[in-house]
Amino acid sequence: EVQLVESGGGLIQPGGSLRLSCAASGFTVSHNYMSWVRQAPGKGLEWVSVIYSGGSTYYADSVKGRFTISRDNSKNTLSLQMDSLRAEDTAVYYCARHSAAWFFDLWGRGTLVTVSS
Amino acid sequence: EIVMTQSPATLSVSPGERATLSCRASQSVSSSLAWYQQKPGQAPRLLIYGASTRATGIPARFSGSGSGTEFTLTISSLQSEDFAVYYCQQYNNWPPLTFGGGTKVEIK
């Protein structure tokens, strides 16, 4: 079955770090563009970061310099290292696969990150 | 950055009625526009891509139209399972990828 399963969310204090993972099955992460998208409680969708199949990475201005996207080809997983976390980073984080035309054709179920003291 | 604006924020519709949702881009995105449906506690689900192509398994009552800066999602006859939040997203000029703020379709 083709699916994405996120993990690693939780409660973290402001200024702390957290690493999210996304396990893919049924396809190869490194052959696709893969993104993280987040959704603050009761709010809309916000794109966070992408890693291209070639390895290039890009970030939303709101997380640039604090978050790092990466992948582990041997484990077929996508990761998001989140440092210097702020209250406004509180959200459900989804990993998502891009189609060949760049819209999202597969989403995980998300993992909740809560930044609070 | 391309700003996507959806209207209305909330749409109250009776089951069986037609719903028309709008999405406007701050500059042309050609036909690189997708629509997603999201129900409470669930991940978004792809409905439409290329502005007008239904994704696999999406019922024919969902249709998309438009190009450039003005787009429409129409649900021809609302079913109970269609009450949800709908987001548009442009993928013509990125990063950053940008979404509209969403339209909540609620039962009238």
Side-chain angles (χ1 to χ4, degrees), chain B residues 19-105:
Chain B
T20 303
L21 290 66
S22 296
C23 175
R24 174 176 293 178
S26 61
Q27 64 188 76
S28 177
V29 299
S30 186
S31 294
S32 300
L33 190 285
W35 290 94
Y36 301 88
Q37 176 193 67
Q38 188 179 35
K39 297 180 180 179
Q42 296 185 17
R45 171 197 183 196
L46 177 66
L47 294 177
I48 300 283
Y49 62 91
S52 61
T53 303
R54 279 190 302 277
T56 302
I58 302 303
R61 63 181 181 272
F62 291 91
S63 63
S65 64
S67 66
T69 62
E70 301 283 343
F71 300 89
T72 300
L73 174 70
T74 301
I75 311 171
S76 60
S77 177
L78 271 157
Q79 306 298 302
S80 58
E81 61 266 30
D82 301 335
F83 292 96
V85 180
Y86 293 83
Y87 295 95
C88 62
Q89 176 228 332
Q90 69 83 19
Y91 51 96
N92 184 68
N93 188 352
W94 70 287
L97 279 166
T98 48
F99 293 90
T103 291
K104 181 180 181 180
V105 177

Side-chain angles (χ1 to χ4, degrees), chain A:
Chain A
E1 182 185 4
V2 176
Q3 65 176 356
L4 296 165
V5 179
E6 301 92 338
S7 60
L11 175 62
I12 187 76
Q13 291 189 338
S17 298
L18 206 58
R19 187 177 184 87
L20 306 183
S21 292
C22 173
S25 56
F27 73 99
T28 303
V29 164
S30 63
H31 293 178
N32 293 266
Y33 288 15
M34 299 291 298
S35 274
W36 288 95
V37 176
R38 68 184 181 183
Q39 186 170 37
K43 302 297 184 182
L45 300 167
E46 179 189 17
W47 172 79
V48 172
S49 180
V50 63
I51 183 166
Y52 289 178
S53 50
S56 298
T57 59
Y58 297 90
Y59 300 90
D61 286 345
S62 58
V63 307
K64 200 173 294 182
R66 300 188 298 122
F67 290 11
T68 304
I69 191 171
S70 63
R71 66 187 181 213
D72 185 328
N73 295 345
S74 66
K75 295 181 179 178
N76 205 31
T77 58
L78 179 73
S79 294
L80 186 68
Q81 176 66 39
M82 304 186 296
D83 298 321
S84 303
L85 282 161
R86 307 166 180 167
E88 54 265 35
D89 295 318
T90 294
V92 174
Y93 285 74
Y94 297 100
C95 66
R97 183 182 73 180
H98 290 260
S99 71
W102 301 329
F103 54 86
F104 296 116
D105 66 353
L106 181 67
W107 296 73
R109 299 186 69 174
T111 187
L112 175 62
V113 173
T114 303
V115 184
S116 175
S117 54

